[in-house]
Amino acid sequence: MGLLVKPPITGQHPGQFIHLKLTKSNETLLRRPFSIYNVNKTKTGKLILEIVYQVVGKGTHLMSGMKPGAEIDVMGPLGNGFRINKKAKYSIIVAGGIGSSGLHLLLKYLTALKGKNKIYTLIGARSKKELRVEDLVKLSSNGLQITTDDGSKGNKGFVTGLLEKLISRLQSPARQIQIYACGPEGMTHRVCEIAKQYKIPCQVSLEEWMGCGIGICRACVCKVRKGSSFRYAPVCSEGPVFEASQLY
């Protein structure tokens, strides 16, 4: 789905999101957050933001019935996105399910480094039907590895298994590797554990239910480290991207 933004939005970074109000009525009272999949410009310089969504509830069901030209109230870009590690020799993208849509723009940024790093993309999903990988294949300099829970596409198993095998195969110092991840909590938790085990820098985009999108309602808080203790941080305003060392 493409959204022509008026007035133009500027300053977007991979990993940020937009918050959509779908109707002027109270039929869907709260906004819906969506990762920015892609950004393009029209000939007149206006931005088109692309999002990928799965129909799972009332809001996305309404979206699926919208016609081209329909107006939607867009707030954003919001949150803090991925910080590109330009010193990394190897960039590893780990995505789970619909989380792959939130990493497309990051892959474009990494590809723009023009050969300064090697990009590996690992994607997991429950089945072949839930994979949306065509664009990611084109952007991955070292190809794309796929795993599905039921084995209907690629390897059978979890994407975190592919991550461990790749790290072992690279046999490179941890400081030369950067991991970027987005997906369901179980997957991101395991990615953080692997990154900690191998002492590899890792950034994780969290998927949380959001209310206001700007850190006021605190409906999307997660536990993050603060020295030797923990505190609760709103994912929408301090994230959705966090350093793995802050989490779990």
Side-chain angles (χ1 to χ4, degrees):
M1 180 178 187
L3 304 173
L4 177 61
V5 183
K6 301 181 290 184
I9 286 177
T10 59
Q12 69 285 340
H13 299 283
Q16 288 186 296
F17 67 97
I18 54 176
H19 227 195
L20 305 184
K21 181 171 175 55
L22 303 175
T23 66
K24 293 181 180 179
S25 68
N26 291 331
E27 188 174 4
T28 53
L29 184 61
L30 295 177
R31 292 175 180 268
R32 267 57 173 182
F34 294 93
S35 297
I36 300 173
Y37 173 77
N38 200 13
V39 181
N40 287 302
K41 282 187 177 181
T42 66
K43 292 180 180 179
T44 58
K46 293 179 180 178
L47 287 187
I48 296 179
L49 302 184
E50 295 180 35
I51 61 173
V52 174
Y53 66 95
Q54 189 174 13
V55 179
V56 293
K58 191 172 186 178
T60 46
H61 179 74
L62 282 171
M63 289 175 64
S64 67
M66 289 181 174
K67 306 296 183 184
E71 292 191 3
I72 301 177
D73 188 323
V74 180
M75 186 169 70
L78 301 173
N80 294 298
F82 292 100
R83 295 159 293 284
I84 306 298
N85 183 354
K86 295 182 179 180
K87 296 181 180 179
K89 184 177 179 181
Y90 304 103
S91 294
I92 304 176
I93 309 293
V94 187
I98 198 68
S100 60
S101 64
L103 294 168
H104 176 266
L105 195 58
L106 172 64
L107 262 172
K108 286 185 68 174
Y109 275 62
L110 291 173
T111 303
L113 295 178
K114 297 181 180 179
K116 293 183 180 180
N117 67 342
K118 293 183 179 180
I119 306 168
Y120 295 88
T121 308
L122 314 176
I123 296 184
R126 282 179 292 191
S127 67
K128 179 180 178 180
K129 291 191 296 184
E130 296 188 17
L131 288 167
R132 300 290 184 272
V133 300
E134 293 81 1
D135 290 339
L136 300 184
V137 172
K138 301 173 187 176
L139 291 170
S140 299
S141 62
N142 286 273
L144 181 73
Q145 295 184 56
I146 296 171
T147 181
T148 49
D149 294 359
D150 61 5
S152 56
K153 181 75 173 180
N155 299 282
K156 184 176 182 179
F158 298 125
V159 70
T160 48
L162 292 180
L163 174 62
E164 289 189 276
K165 290 179 182 177
L166 175 59
I167 292 171
S168 298
R169 193 170 80 244
L170 289 177
Q171 294 185 334
S172 181
R175 67 178 181 276
Q176 294 184 353
I177 303 173
Q178 174 69 53
I179 299 172
Y180 306 91
C182 182
E185 183 179 3
M187 186 213 85
T188 55
H189 191 170
R190 181 58 186 145
V191 169
C192 288
E193 289 180 337
I194 294 170
K196 182 179 180 180
Q197 176 186 343
Y198 291 95
K199 298 181 173 59
I200 295 173
C202 177
Q203 296 174 37
V204 177
S205 179
L206 300 184
E207 296 180 347
E208 289 287 345
W209 184 90
M210 297 177 185
C212 68
I214 54 175
I216 295 175
C217 72
R218 302 188 69 82
C220 62
V221 295
C222 70
K223 187 186 288 188
V224 299
R225 294 183 185 276
K226 185 179 181 181
S228 59
S229 60
F230 288 90
R231 68 181 179 87
Y232 287 93
V235 172
C236 61
S237 59
E238 294 194 29
V241 177
F242 293 89
E243 295 288 341
S245 58
Q246 294 179 272
L247 305 171
Y248 309 115

